[in-house]
Amino acid sequence: MGTAVGGGKTVPRYLQIAEDIVQQIRAGVLKPGDQVPSEAEMVERYGVSGGTIRKAMTEIRASGLVDTRHGKGSYVKARPPVRHRSSDRFRRSLRRGGKAAYLAESEQSGATAKVSVIFIGPMEAPEEIAQRLDVEPGTQILARRRLYFRNGTPVETATSYLPWDVVKDIPELFAENPGGGGIYARLEDHGHVFAEFVETLQARPAAKAEASELALSPGAPVIHLLRNAVTETGRVVEVCDTLMAADQFVFEYRIPASD
């Protein structure tokens, strides 16, 4: 049976059980590496059917707090602490100091950061990216795909898409390490001075391949972020398509109150 809450609504029993386990993890009762109680143990503890426990485990896995190992059960993840993503991360002073946004933020939080380059090369612009870059779909563009680690754990993937006419004369953008300050510093070095960065975010469950890449449980929540990097001339010279483990990030933005 469920428990009535405000407004006469009833919380299903499997959700109550899932919330109980999640709270035990967050409170440290179940510690990183600990095994989550088995189905048989939870059936006995909560006095419900195996079907109810299986539904509860679906919710627990969706929290992103556990890893499920086939034939061995579910274990509490050893995840790194949350890292803030602030609008300050794109300050020009950081780029001039030789620090790309991800590395600067990780350094400020005392974490060890690593970036693994997965792919750099030409590709045909997909429709949504082409629209953002104001080019025809299928136009040749440069793609740079990376996997970001924090204290050894994968937490984020990002693919930058850049117009070919912009990048063809900037050889650093074809290198794994584009140099201090990252690709934004190299773009500004070549006259593409930024005026603003426009981001859109969507929370959703991870697809199977995404969950595998970020070491998440299937269906764990992720943040899908798309960013346009806009120059002082109004041109979008980069679109960054980013996927982040939702339990690893808190977003903080400054919003001007002026007219």
Side-chain angles (χ1 to χ4, degrees), residues 45-106:
R45 177 184 301 180
Y46 295 104
V48 296
S49 68
T52 297
I53 295 302
R54 287 190 288 275
K55 290 171 72 174
M57 283 305 304
T58 297
E59 298 297 322
I60 294 165
R61 285 192 291 270
S63 73
L65 298 174
V66 303
D67 278 320
T68 299
R69 306 169 193 172
H70 183 67
K72 294 184 178 181
S74 296
Y75 295 81
V76 179
K77 284 185 178 180
R79 301 291 290 175
V82 168
R83 178 171 66 86
H84 282 72
R85 289 179 64 94
S86 165
S87 51
D88 288 342
R89 69 190 187 279
F90 293 126
R91 284 187 291 129
R92 187 167 286 112
S93 61
L94 291 175
R95 294 195 293 279
R96 287 174 176 168
K99 297 176 181 177
Y102 180 81
L103 297 178
E105 282 188 323
S106 295

Side-chain angles (χ1 to χ4, degrees), residues 114-135:
K114 176 188 173 185
V115 181
S116 178
V117 176
I118 299 171
F119 172 80
I120 301 174
M123 67 171 290
E124 295 182 356
E127 186 171 350
E128 182 178 8
I129 300 301
Q131 184 178 7
R132 286 172 172 265
L133 290 174
D134 195 23
V135 300

Side-chain angles (χ1 to χ4, degrees), residues 154-218:
V155 295
E156 176 181 343
T157 64
T159 304
S160 291
Y161 301 98
L162 304 102
W164 196 260
D165 66 297
V166 169
V167 303
K168 62 184 178 65
D169 296 322
I170 310 178
E172 297 94 335
L173 297 185
F174 293 82
E176 285 196 16
N177 183 356
I183 65 173
Y184 289 164
R186 300 293 78 75
L187 287 164
E188 290 200 311
D189 288 346
H190 287 77
H192 304 286
V193 180
F194 293 109
E196 64 177 355
F197 300 91
V198 182
E199 296 184 337
T200 58
L201 297 89
Q202 178 187 18
R204 60 171 174 79
K208 185 175 181 180
E210 295 168 342
S212 176
E213 192 167 38
L214 291 175
L216 299 171
S217 298

